[in-house]
Amino acid sequence: MTSAQLAFSVLLLPLASAAIIGFFLRRAGGLAAVISVLTATGIAGGAFMLAFGGHRFETAHEWLRLGDFVLSIGVKFDDLAALMLTIVAVVGLCVHVFSLGYMHDDGARARYFGGLSIFMFSMLGIVFADNLFMMFIFWELVGFSSWLLINHYLHRQEAANAAKKAFIANRVGDFGFLIGIVWCHAQFGTTNLSELARLVEGGALVASAIPLLLFCGAIGKSAQLPLHVWLPDAMEGPTPVSALIHAATMVAAGIYMLCRINVLMVADALTVIMWVGTATALYAALCAIIQSDIKKVLAYSTLSQLGYMVAAFGLGSLAVSHGPADAAHTMMIAAGVGAAMFHLTTHAFFKALMFLGSGSVIHACHHEQDIFKMGGLAKKLPVTFATFTIGVLAIIGTPFLSGFFSKDAILYLAYANNQTVFVILALTAVLTAFYMLRLWILVFRGAPRGADADHAHEGGISLTAPLVVLAILSVIGGYGWFFTTVARGAFDGVYALVPVAHGTDHTVILGVSMAVLVLGAVGAFAIYRPSPTDALATSAPGVLGGIRGLWSSFDRVYGYYVAKVQQRFAMLLNFLEQIFLSGVIIRGTAGIVGLFGLGARALHGGNLNAYAYWFLLGIVALWAFATGVLTF
């Protein structure tokens, strides 16, 4: 089997699984689950063969031709694609195995596992895509499969609303993404990633609007301000879905896309990207402090860490020239790509671990999600406690764990290029340590604060085995020897770009990392260990009230816009369409007669209020005629 055949086999395998489940196994949940898990295993096997077997290639096949426009379905498989493919395959397999236990009693298991398969197909298409049009096709399929999985509990109105919100918010970002793709094709005559790289490296200029419009797609998929509102609500879906889609893969697609189009980046665009990521990181960290739902805390944590990645990508802006690509341009962009992908990799492991760990907790507590009704689970769920603790330690940057290395790479990049961003990201790291240890204390320490927590017990092997695998990766995933030795250098093309602090800078970054870790940890233990209640709300109600106002402000603004602006504008358009387009223009004279008939009927509707308005209108007309304002 050739490299291309292997790649297309991996891509089409989950599509075949989804088709079999959808057509033949809709009422056979157990068999559907087995087929989906075996499919995920096959994807992982194929991914490992491609990533570690030396397969690096490009291939394309013409799919559609419209005049001079050709749409190709192709594969660009380099070290970046190999790394992303491995992440999707490993996390996807862990989620599938975890779902065997978590969704065992669900009556719609077949639909759930079919949705997982169609999502894997969509995500793999983004990873393999060699051009922006192909990426956009699978980009939209990812949005569809996300909607399907968020809405799994379709009998619940909250889930239906969350699915619609996710779908609409992503369509807003995708509209800008599509315009950017069309503009890119109009300027360069191609959207093939390799051809674009050759053109830009050869001196072709890039309009700043192109990367900014393409970034709109990342704003939607990776839930950056101001389109972040869908991700926390998406926690209405099953917890394994949250781990797969909203922690490690789909939301990371925006970061991966930015790294794919790094050759199109110019200074102005990167500056905007840097500040959007920085603002998102700080905003989401503040919002995480006030959450009481275990999944909502992790959701806002994901938003914050995605902001870190976006900021890392944009931090190459200061050294980028406005002209053709030069050495400084290439070096700084490469550092941004390396830091963003490094943190994407480590984050995928420890955040998927914590989401699945939260699923284990929720499953053990009979679907209780309020962290203030938990407590004392360390002894009742020993495997979950141990692995979840590793995830917490990794995300707060504990030395010798993966998050420590990737977060320090981003802090170093910020320290070297923008001191203001460095301070904001350091403050965000303090908040991260605070809210994650707050979560850990309230869930696992102390005594049980509810009957469900008191009767909790560890799940079976399908629930605990994925946690152990992800915990191991959360430890070793940040070490250089893991990429160069265990991974046999398969990702050197990406890992070699990771910025590393040396000398004085190394001392500063290490000192800052330790300071923010200790500060956040001390604050969490001081407030929540003595009193496992919402002590911060009691001691600082003004601060928490301000954060809650900030947290709800976006939904209030969007709600006002939809109800007061968009809906009324839609009603106006409907009126104009009914009266003038359908009535006058299309129906002609009959429409005019109908318009007069509509007015005449209004005179005799039997409604006293209507009669009063017509009476007043008649008085005004009579006055106007009597005073000479109206003449005939």
Side-chain angles (χ1 to χ4, degrees), residues 277-344:
T278 303
T280 303
L282 179 60
Y283 166 82
L286 289 170
C287 292
I289 293 174
I290 63 173
Q291 304 303 315
S292 59
D293 186 313
I294 185 172
K295 289 175 65 177
K296 289 288 182 72
V297 176
L298 296 177
Y300 279 104
S301 172
T302 300
L303 282 177
S304 184
Q305 298 305 306
L306 289 168
Y308 252 89
M309 299 173 209
V310 171
F313 181 84
L315 277 166
S317 60
L318 295 184
V320 178
S321 64
H322 289 274
D326 55 19
H329 179 197
T330 304
M331 181 179 297
M332 288 307 300
I333 290 290
V337 170
M341 284 304 300
F342 188 28
H343 197 54
L344 184 154

Side-chain angles (χ1 to χ4, degrees), residues 94-439:
C94 289
V95 168
H96 275 77
V97 173
F98 187 88
S99 297
L100 286 175
Y102 192 86
M103 304 296 291
H104 182 267
D105 297 324
D106 192 283
R109 268 193 303 169
R111 174 161 52 84
Y112 170 83
F113 280 99
L116 286 186
S117 290
I118 197 68
F119 171 80
M120 292 294 287
F121 167 68
S122 307
M123 193 65 209
L124 291 173
I126 292 176
V127 174
F128 284 130
D130 74 332
N131 66 84
L132 291 176
F133 277 114
M134 176 181 170
M135 184 177 288
F136 183 78
I137 292 171
F138 286 99
W139 196 269
E140 294 304 294
L141 282 174
V142 164
F144 162 74
S145 54
S146 173
W147 169 84
L148 182 67
L149 290 167
I150 294 171
N151 197 32
H152 177 73
Y153 300 124
L154 48 83
H155 58 281
R156 291 168 46 189
Q157 188 61 43
E158 295 84 357
N161 292 341
K164 288 189 293 184
K165 191 174 185 179
F167 192 83
I168 293 171
N170 275 274
R171 296 295 75 72
V172 173
D174 294 352
F175 181 67
F177 187 30
L178 180 59
I179 294 175
I181 293 173
V182 173
W183 193 334
C184 182
H185 186 272
Q187 179 167 341
F188 298 106
T190 183
T191 61
N192 182 274
L193 300 171
S194 297
E195 292 179 13
L196 288 173
R198 285 192 289 270
L199 289 171
V200 175
E201 289 168 0
L205 298 179
V206 182
S208 299
I210 291 178
L212 286 175
L213 285 168
L214 295 174
F215 177 54
C216 289
I219 291 177
K221 278 290 183 291
S222 293
Q224 299 296 287
L225 290 173
L227 298 180
H228 65 285
V229 292
W230 67 269
L231 182 60
D233 287 8
M235 298 302 108
E236 292 294 336
T239 304
V241 168
S242 302
L244 177 64
I245 296 181
H246 309 123
T249 55
M250 172 182 158
V251 292
I255 314 300
Y256 175 75
M257 182 268 288
L258 290 177
C259 295
R260 267 295 191 222
I261 62 169
N262 67 86
V263 294
L264 298 178
M265 291 297 157
V266 296
D268 292 340
L270 281 168
T271 301
V272 172
I273 292 171
M274 175 187 69
W275 282 112
V276 169
T278 303
T280 303
L282 179 60
Y283 166 82
L286 289 170
C287 292
I289 293 174
I290 63 173
Q291 304 303 315
S292 59
D293 186 313
I294 185 172
K295 289 175 65 177
K296 289 288 182 72
V297 176
L298 296 177
Y300 279 104
S301 172
T302 300
L303 282 177
S304 184
Q305 298 305 306
L306 289 168
Y308 252 89
M309 299 173 209
V310 171
F313 181 84
L315 277 166
S317 60
L318 295 184
V320 178
S321 64
H322 289 274
D326 55 19
H329 179 197
T330 304
M331 181 179 297
M332 288 307 300
I333 290 290
V337 170
M341 284 304 300
F342 188 28
H343 197 54
L344 184 154
T345 303
T346 61
H347 176 266
F349 296 143
F350 60 67
K351 187 52 66 67
L353 166 63
M354 286 188 286
F355 262 112
L356 292 184
S358 72
S360 179
V361 168
I362 293 169
H363 185 268
C365 293
H366 303 89
H367 297 282
E368 175 59 66
Q369 296 183 199
D370 189 340
I371 58 178
F372 292 104
K373 296 180 181 179
M374 296 179 182
L377 296 180
K379 295 180 180 179
K380 297 179 179 297
L381 307 174
V383 177
T384 301
F385 168 67
T387 54
F388 196 96
T389 300
I390 291 174
V392 170
L393 294 176
I395 194 175
I396 67 176
T398 305
F400 310 117
L401 299 184
S402 61
F404 169 77
F405 299 104
S406 60
K407 187 171 289 187
D408 274 17
I410 297 176
L411 289 176
Y412 167 62
L413 200 58
Y415 180 73
N417 295 327
N418 193 305
Q419 295 291 313
T420 304
V421 172
F422 172 71
V423 171
I424 295 174
L425 293 182
L427 174 59
T428 302
V430 175
L431 297 174
T432 302
F434 178 82
Y435 67 70
M436 288 309 307
L437 286 171
R438 166 185 179 263
L439 172 68

Side-chain angles (χ1 to χ4, degrees), residues 41 62 106 170 172 196-197 209 237 239 247 251 289 296 335 386 468 487 513-514 516 529 542 558 581 591 611 618-619:
T41 305
E62 182 179 316
D106 192 283
N170 275 274
V172 173
L196 288 173
T239 304
V251 292
I289 293 174
K296 289 288 182 72
V468 174
S513 296
M514 292 296 95
V516 298
R529 188 177 182 184
Y558 288 147
L581 183 61
Y611 291 155
I619 292 219

Side-chain angles (χ1 to χ4, degrees), residues 33-46:
V34 171
I35 290 177
S36 186
V37 172
L38 290 176
T39 298
T41 305
I43 292 171

